[in-house]
Structure formats: C-alpha cells, structure tokens
Amino acid sequence: MPKIKVTVWNEFKHELINPKIKKIYPKGMHAVIAAALNKDKGITAKTATLAEPEHGLTEEVLKNTDVLIWWGHMAHGEVKDDIVDRVHKHVLLGMGLVVLHSGHFSKIFKKLMGTSCILTWREAGEKERLWVTHPGHPISEGLPEYFELPHEEMYGEFFDIPYPQALVFVSWFKGGEVFRSGCCYIRGKGKIFYFRPGHETHPTYHDKNIQKVLVNAVKWAKPVVNSAKIPNGQAVKPIEKI
Ligand code: ZN
C-alpha cells in the first residue's frame, strides 16, 4: 500500500523568538510532529512553513499531499488569501486537514467552518484531562478511556463551531471548564479534524498519546479514492429514460 503523504505546516514564529519555546522545540513544532508521524510505517511526512515561498504550499506540494496538518497562532493574518483559497480548494477535492490548537482561528479553519470560531482561554499551565467520547471512532483507536496533560493552556466553551459530525474528545480543565477537543467534519470530499492541545510553551507534541491521536487522525483523514465528482451545479441529462 502506498504511504500516506503528509505535509506538516507551521507558522514557525514562537520557536524562533522565545528561548523557552525554542528549548522545547529546537527545530520547531513541525519537526517534532513530522518525526512522530514518520515513525509509522504507513506515513511519510514533510514540513512547510510560513516564511517559505508561497508558505511552502505550492500547487505541486498540495497535489502531493494526502493530509495537511496546520499549526498557527500569532501570524494568521500573514497567511496570504490566495494560499488559503488554494488549500480550501484541495480540501474540497479530498485532501485531509488536521487543524491544531490555536489553528482554530486560522483563515482556513474559519473559512471551512463558516462561524466565528471564538472560544474562551486562560494561560495558567493547568492540568487537562481528555476524555474519549467516541470509543468506536478510528481516531480514538488504541487510546485509554482518558489521558492527561499535566500543563496546558485552557480553552473553554462556548466554542463557536458548527456542530461536529463526530466528537472524539472532550477536555476537562482543572479550573473547571470543558471543551470539545476533537471535532470531525466533512467538507466536499475532504475530512477535517480539529484537535485542541498544543500550546507552544508546553511539550504537548512530545506526548505519546498526543502523537497517537495525530497518527490516527492522518489515517482517518486521508482521501477516499472514487470517481464521485464534487458538485459543480450544472444541468445534467437523465441516466435512465424518463
Ligand atoms: Zn495557545
């Protein structure tokens, strides 16, 4: 079976300007995520960053990407609209998209959701407990009933997203809030998974359970190959005689 081709995209800014974050992710979050994915025999992962020409997301790169992973935070506004439109087009055609943490406010996620995607937050380094709320879903395969991250940023409800087509994780935070942490959507032929954890000042992407979720999400979001076309609104002749 051919390997699933993944592109891990990161704005790659925090790691360059904050020594504490650089210590956790010396080569960037994207490098840690790609290395974790590449340990799986069924996946081959490359990386792309904001500073590269066309943000590293040329037509050629996207044509050769089965699943795109997206981490952004401080530079959402620097992502060019024509690149967002290009990613959007590829998602509708079947490319999977995994949006991480503060990517909830990226141009591409907001465009695909059609809602404000606002939420509440608190940076207190508190404990997060992620509950599996869909134990039969492929993204929860091999995971315990719940797992914990000792220190994370809190994201709380209300999270202004469309009702997810599957809700795989719900987070509880020590401060008392809850949050829909693992949300699945389908847009066109493309599958989208939003996964909450991953604040840049904590070593979240080094966590084994988090890496397992990312591997599972890539396998779930890979394109389905069939001959069904994306609707383009044309008039059609009947298949049978009317
Ligand atoms: Zn954050």
Side-chain angles (χ1 to χ4, degrees):
M1 234 175 44
K3 290 191 178 196
I4 305 168
K5 291 172 280 184
V6 177
T7 302
V8 183
W9 189 90
N10 180 12
E11 66 177 28
F12 194 31
K13 292 240 175 193
H14 291 281
E15 299 95 322
L16 299 176
I17 55 177
N18 182 326
K20 191 187 163 192
I21 299 167
K22 193 175 187 152
K23 210 171 160 200
I24 303 169
Y25 299 109
K27 291 177 186 165
M29 280 178 264
H30 52 298
V32 170
I33 293 168
L37 295 174
N38 278 322
K39 279 188 206 148
D40 190 282
K41 286 190 188 80
I43 297 173
T44 176
K46 293 179 183 170
T47 64
T49 59
L50 180 70
E52 292 171 39
E54 301 182 51
H55 309 324
L57 300 174
T58 61
E59 186 63 40
E60 199 55 32
V61 166
L62 292 179
K63 244 189 241 163
N64 286 294
T65 298
D66 294 319
V67 181
L68 178 65
I69 296 183
W70 193 279
W71 197 100
H73 178 230
M74 62 190 285
H76 293 319
E78 292 176 39
V79 179
K80 292 191 196 99
D81 291 336
D82 58 327
I83 306 297
V84 175
D85 290 345
R86 187 185 289 161
V87 171
H88 185 263
K89 178 191 82 180
H90 279 272
V91 170
L92 297 187
L93 290 171
M95 182 181 74
L97 178 68
V98 177
V99 176
L100 301 173
H101 188 59
S102 40
H104 75 91
F105 228 45
S106 61
K107 288 182 180 177
I108 183 61
F109 190 64
K110 289 200 282 187
K111 186 177 170 89
L112 286 160
M113 295 298 107
T115 54
S116 73
C117 299
I118 53 158
L119 44 74
T120 63
W121 78 94
R122 174 174 60 243
E123 278 191 63
E126 67 204 88
K127 180 158 85 177
E128 174 176 7
R129 180 177 295 142
L130 289 106
W131 285 92
V132 173
T133 51
H134 198 330
H137 197 279
I139 296 179
S140 64
E141 184 162 356
L143 287 160
E145 179 177 32
Y146 67 84
F147 59 96
E148 294 175 350
L149 298 164
H151 306 287
E152 252 295 349
E153 179 183 17
M154 186 283 292
Y155 278 6
E157 298 285 344
F158 176 62
F159 182 22
D160 184 21
I161 45 169
Y163 201 81
Q165 281 151 321
L167 180 61
V168 187
F169 302 104
V170 167
S171 287
W172 167 89
F173 293 89
K174 197 163 185 200
E177 289 84 357
V178 293
F179 189 77
R180 289 168 290 167
S181 268
C183 302
C184 298
Y185 297 94
I186 295 175
R187 294 288 184 271
K189 285 177 84 172
K191 299 194 202 80
I192 301 158
F193 181 60
Y194 172 77
F195 189 46
R196 194 219 77 85
H199 188 61
E200 63 275 4
T201 59
H202 304 298
T204 298
Y205 296 119
H206 292 283
D207 182 272
K208 293 294 166 230
N209 287 317
I210 295 293
Q211 293 182 357
K212 178 83 184 148
V213 172
L214 295 178
V215 167
N216 288 349
V218 162
K219 291 180 178 177
W220 170 79
K222 71 170 185 191
V224 168
V225 181
N226 60 31
S227 56
K229 295 180 188 74
I230 296 298
N232 60 5
Q234 87 233 34
V236 291
K237 294 212 164 65
I239 295 166
E240 298 189 36
K241 198 171 176 192
I242 300 170

